[in-house]
Amino acid sequence: MAGKITVMPFHTVAVSVGVLVVMALHLQGLEAQQQPLVKGLSWKYYESSCPKLESIIRKQMEKVIKKDVGLAAALLRVHFHDCFVQGCDGSVLLDGSASGPVDSEKTAPPNLSLRGFDVIEDLRRRVHKQCGARSVSCSDITAIVARDAIVLTGGPDYSVPLGRRDGLSFATRNATLANLPSPFVGTDSLLTSLAAKNFDATDVVALSGAHTIGVAHCPSFTRRLYPTQDATMDKTLANTLKGVCPTQNTNATTFLDLRSPNVFDNKYFVDLMNKQGILTSDQDLYTDKRTREIVKSFAVNQTLFFEKFVNVMVKMGQMQVLTGTKGEIRNTCNKRNSNELVISNIVEDHNTDGVENL
C-alpha cells in the first residue's frame, strides 16, 4: 500500500513479539478468570484425565503456524463462527450427511472460506492417541487452538475454561446467516445484533480487533470501491485495493491490518483511525460516536486491548455450551459418533474429578 504501510524488518517484529509475550505473561488468566464460569466448565477440567492436553496442542500449533502463519487467523475464525451459531459446540466442523441434510453449517455462504479443519482433526487424533478415545471434545480443542493462534502471533496468553461437549447437529443455512455478523453492516446493526448475545460496545470493538491478523476477500469490501468510493476510506488505500480487486467479484485477498498483518497487536485500531479499515463493519467502529473512543483507547493502549480481548474471548467461548451428559465427544470431528446414545465414562469421571466447585 504505497506510502501508507510501515514495513517492519524481521528483527523488529521479533523484538515486538517478545515484548508482547512478556505482556501476555503478565495478563495470563488475570482478566479471563474474572469471567464467571458456566456450570460444567472448569479451568482444570482435564488436569487428571489428560494433563498434557494443552502442551500437545501448543507444540503442534507452533509447527503449524511456523509453516503457514495465515492459519492463525483461519483457526481463530473457526472458533468465532462456531460459537456465534448455536454456541461453542463444534457444529461448524460437521459435514453434511447422505442420510440427512446435505447442506451443513460448514457449507453456508459465510463459512465457505473457512479453513483449518484438517489441523483441528489432526490435533484431535494426537490428543486421543495420548489420552484415549472420546477423552477430549472437538469443541474444547477448537477453543484451545484459537487461543494458541493468538499467542503464537504475539497476542495475550490466557486460561481457557474447558468441559464443552460436541453438538449432535449442525445449524441450518438460515440460522448461520442470521447469527454471523456481516462485513457489510454498520456499527448500529452490529451493536444491536451482538447485544442480543450479551456483548456490550467494548466487547464488540475488542472482538473486532481479531482482524489484526487475517485477510479479506474482494467481495467482502468492493462495494466500498464500486461504483463510487466510500468517503470513509483513505484514497490511497482505495486506489491500491482497486488494483487488487479490479472487479467486485475478483478472486483475491488483502490483509485486514495494513501495518502488521501477521502480528496480533493493536495496529488494526490505528488503521481505523487513519481511514484504513478494509470492511464496512470495521471502519464504521471509528465513524460511529458510540465506539470511536473505544477504538482510540485500544489504538494507544495495547495492554488495555489485550485485557478486554481476553475477557470477551472467554465470554464468547462459553456461549450456549453443552456440558455434562448433553451432546457427545466425537471420535471424528466432522461427523457424529455412530452410536449416538453412548456417553463416555471418561466424561462422567471428569464431572467428579476435574470440575472445580462453582
Side-chain angles (χ1 to χ4, degrees), residues 207-322:
L207 279 176
S208 298
H211 285 171
T212 185
I213 55 175
V215 299
H217 294 257
C218 291
S220 67
F221 61 84
T222 45
R223 63 177 65 184
R224 300 186 68 202
L225 304 174
Y226 310 109
T228 57
Q229 183 195 317
D230 185 336
T232 65
M233 179 180 282
D234 173 74
K235 291 182 179 180
T236 301
L237 172 60
N239 289 334
T240 302
L241 292 178
K242 287 177 181 178
V244 176
C245 310
T247 69
Q248 287 191 333
N249 297 313
T250 302
N251 185 24
T253 61
T254 191
F255 289 119
L256 285 162
D257 176 3
L258 307 183
R259 286 169 168 75
S260 52
N262 293 321
V263 179
F264 196 100
D265 56 20
N266 66 335
K267 297 299 187 292
Y268 158 86
F269 299 105
V270 177
D271 293 337
L272 301 189
M273 292 181 67
N274 285 279
K275 301 174 69 173
Q276 294 170 335
I278 302 298
L279 307 177
T280 297
S281 57
D282 288 334
Q283 189 58 53
D284 203 49
L285 292 172
Y286 186 67
T287 304
D288 194 294
K289 293 181 180 179
R290 290 168 293 181
T291 48
R292 181 182 300 164
E293 294 305 315
I294 304 172
V295 170
K296 288 181 180 179
S297 68
F298 289 166
V300 300
N301 189 338
Q302 181 167 274
T303 300
L304 177 65
F305 165 51
F306 280 3
E307 288 176 350
K308 298 303 182 184
F309 185 78
V310 165
N311 191 58
V312 75
M313 280 296 290
V314 173
K315 183 177 180 178
M316 183 192 76
Q318 299 186 79
M319 292 171 64
Q320 297 175 264
V321 291
L322 301 174

Side-chain angles (χ1 to χ4, degrees), residues 14 24 37 46 54 78 88 102 106 117 140 148 163 166 177 186 195 200 217 236 265 268 291-292 295 325 330:
L37 291 185
Y46 298 103
E54 297 193 44
V78 169
C88 310
V102 176
K106 187 186 288 186
F117 298 115
D140 271 350
D148 285 0
D166 299 320
L177 289 167
D200 61 23
H217 294 257
T236 301
D265 56 20
Y268 158 86
T291 48
R292 181 182 300 164
V295 170
T325 58
R330 295 185 203 137

